[in-house]
Amino acid sequence: GAQDPDPNVAWYESFFEEKSQKPLEETLKILTAGLNQAKSSGDAQSKAQSLKALALTHLTRTSDYEVAMDLLIQCLAIEDSLDLQEQRIFTYLAMANVFEEVGNFNKSEQLLEQALTFNAITKNPYVEVLILNELGQIKASMSKMLEAFKDYESVLKYKDLIKNPKAEAKALFNIAQIYSTQGIYNRALQTHRRALFIRRAINDKSKEALSLNEIGELYRRMKNDGRALANHRLALKIRKSLDDKKGISESYNNIGIIYYQQKRYNEAIQNLTAGLQAALESQTLVQQQKSYDYLSLCHKELDEYDLALMKREQFVVVTDFIQNQTNDQRLLES
């Protein structure tokens, strides 16, 4: 029968869910209070857990990677001194995530391998699956496609043992992404559909929208605009119902780009403007960059040169900002 996933895994993954969370200020206040409480009572294990919760919040919500790493280092020192095997695994996972965010995949890979080594002692299959999915993603980012593939295949081997449909869907989704980058579109499509089927079955709405988005992009690459638009619109509908601004910006932009490619410039502008609005509200720089880029191209096609130039300038500003952020993050690697 279906067991509940490991509570530690569920706790860790909750930080990465795109669900409606408490306002950031409030979350940080609550976690800081918890940390101070643990410090004053001298409960080292609670202190470590509080440090980790704060670190994960900074990793996933403030993107302050230096603060996140600093907190994780403090946390690991406590876990090492108390020999908290299982807890340590999640600290390594979190650290690997920080390095992934700043683009240091080698370091990320090392930390995940370390986490696997620790888990070999406790042999927790839920934790194993979590690590393998992460490791596959890192290896794919490093273009080690065959190794990534092996990690995802290992995840799927566990599916009958642990009945963790979320992890199974994630592995299938990631395998589909590999097929996609390799241009094997039909296999990619089949595999994405399997992931989508599972996500619908367990009613995982935000991940369902993610799958639909990728299927939409696949159809766009396969020059099937009708199906591409249908999938993107479905993803958009779900993301609106979840009030997922980041996702909404991505969906509107993807729809706008298809219209641009079809030379339907006014419809493109309408969608790209809605995409930009959501991207600004969610402070999603990559989508802002995309909106400005394509808006500039659309206005140029319509001979609206002043508008085209204005959007191009905004595109340059955002691009510079992203570049500077990347440079700042590189400092972490030294």
Side-chain angles (χ1 to χ4, degrees):
Q3 296 156 270
D4 270 334
D6 182 271
N8 287 330
V9 172
W11 177 83
Y12 180 81
E13 288 191 314
S14 71
F15 289 91
F16 297 87
E17 302 285 309
E18 294 271 345
K19 59 180 179 348
S20 49
Q21 294 154 317
K22 279 200 187 80
L24 181 61
E25 304 302 318
E26 196 184 328
T27 305
L28 290 172
K29 211 184 246 172
I30 293 167
L31 292 173
T32 307
L35 177 59
N36 293 333
Q37 170 67 36
K39 277 180 183 165
S40 61
S41 70
D43 180 348
Q45 196 165 346
S46 294
K47 183 181 166 187
Q49 194 71 353
S50 296
L51 286 166
K52 199 178 315 186
L54 262 174
L56 285 163
T57 303
H58 281 294
L59 166 63
T60 56
R61 296 185 66 186
T62 70
S63 300
D64 194 331
Y65 303 121
E66 280 184 64
V67 169
M69 190 51 89
D70 185 46
L71 292 163
L72 289 168
I73 290 167
Q74 292 177 51
C75 171
L76 190 60
I78 297 170
E79 288 168 346
D80 281 342
S81 69
L82 297 175
D83 200 30
L84 300 171
Q85 283 290 1
E86 183 128 29
Q87 280 82 348
R88 205 182 320 184
I89 293 171
F90 292 95
T91 310
Y92 277 106
L93 267 164
M95 286 177 159
N97 252 299
V98 175
F99 280 112
E100 179 184 7
E101 287 297 332
V102 301
N104 188 340
F105 300 126
N106 285 317
K107 194 79 185 129
S108 188
E109 185 184 19
Q110 284 166 14
L111 288 159
L112 290 168
E113 296 287 1
Q114 188 72 52
L116 268 185
T117 308
F118 279 130
N119 195 54
I121 303 162
T122 39
K123 290 192 170 58
N124 182 329
Y126 290 98
V127 175
E128 188 86 0
V129 157
L130 177 65
I131 301 169
L132 286 168
N133 259 332
E134 291 292 325
L135 205 46
Q137 270 167 274
I138 293 296
K139 285 175 181 167
S141 302
M142 296 166 84
S143 303
K144 299 183 185 176
M145 294 309 179
L146 203 64
E147 287 183 44
F149 216 88
K150 280 185 188 145
D151 289 328
Y152 298 140
E153 292 288 332
S154 303
V155 170
L156 295 176
K157 284 193 191 103
Y158 280 100
K159 76 173 203 269
D160 296 324
L161 174 70
I162 64 173
K163 300 277 186 286
N164 183 350
K166 241 183 186 164
E168 185 187 344
K170 186 176 181 178
L172 288 167
F173 179 90
N174 289 334
I175 288 171
Q177 296 291 69
I178 293 180
Y179 283 135
S180 192
T181 49
Q182 293 177 332
I184 313 172
Y185 295 144
N186 286 325
R187 288 293 291 276
L189 201 54
Q190 284 170 339
T191 316
H192 267 312
R193 286 214 182 106
R194 284 170 62 194
L196 176 63
F197 181 79
I198 295 170
R199 286 168 170 178
R200 280 184 171 153
I202 60 175
N203 201 27
D204 187 346
K205 286 291 180 196
S206 74
K207 292 290 192 281
E208 178 186 345
L210 191 63
S211 286
L212 288 165
N213 181 72
E214 291 307 317
I215 290 170
E217 285 300 274
L218 256 181
Y219 275 125
R220 184 176 66 82
R221 288 197 203 114
M222 295 164 84
K223 308 272 185 279
N224 187 334
D225 287 355
R227 287 208 161 160
L229 282 169
N231 280 281
H232 282 311
R233 286 202 186 102
L234 207 47
L236 177 61
K237 193 177 165 186
I238 294 171
R239 286 166 161 177
K240 279 182 169 171
S241 76
L242 298 172
D243 195 34
D244 168 14
K245 293 275 195 287
K246 197 172 161 188
I248 290 168
S249 68
E250 181 180 41
S251 291
Y252 270 127
N253 277 339
N254 285 336
I255 292 167
I257 290 167
I258 293 171
Y259 283 135
Y260 166 76
Q261 288 171 344
Q262 293 180 336
K263 300 187 171 27
R264 292 158 70 177
Y265 302 118
N266 289 314
E267 284 157 290
I269 288 169
Q270 220 177 330
N271 282 281
L272 292 164
T273 304
L276 177 60
Q277 183 58 42
L280 290 167
E281 284 174 33
S282 59
Q283 298 175 323
T284 311
L285 292 171
V286 174
Q287 296 302 330
Q288 289 173 36
Q289 188 185 29
K290 203 183 266 190
S291 305
Y292 287 132
D293 187 15
Y294 280 92
L295 281 166
S296 165
L297 293 169
C298 288
H299 287 303
K300 193 178 160 198
E301 291 293 343
L302 295 168
D303 298 335
E304 298 165 349
Y305 295 111
D306 287 354
L307 281 168
L309 185 63
M310 193 174 86
K311 296 300 178 202
R312 181 57 50 197
E313 282 166 358
Q314 287 167 308
F315 168 78
V316 171
V317 169
V318 176
T319 304
D320 287 346
F321 192 78
I322 291 173
Q323 192 49 51
N324 290 334
Q325 260 197 348
T326 311
N327 293 340
D328 288 347
Q329 289 168 10
R330 287 280 133 78
L331 300 174
L332 252 188
E333 298 181 26
S334 50

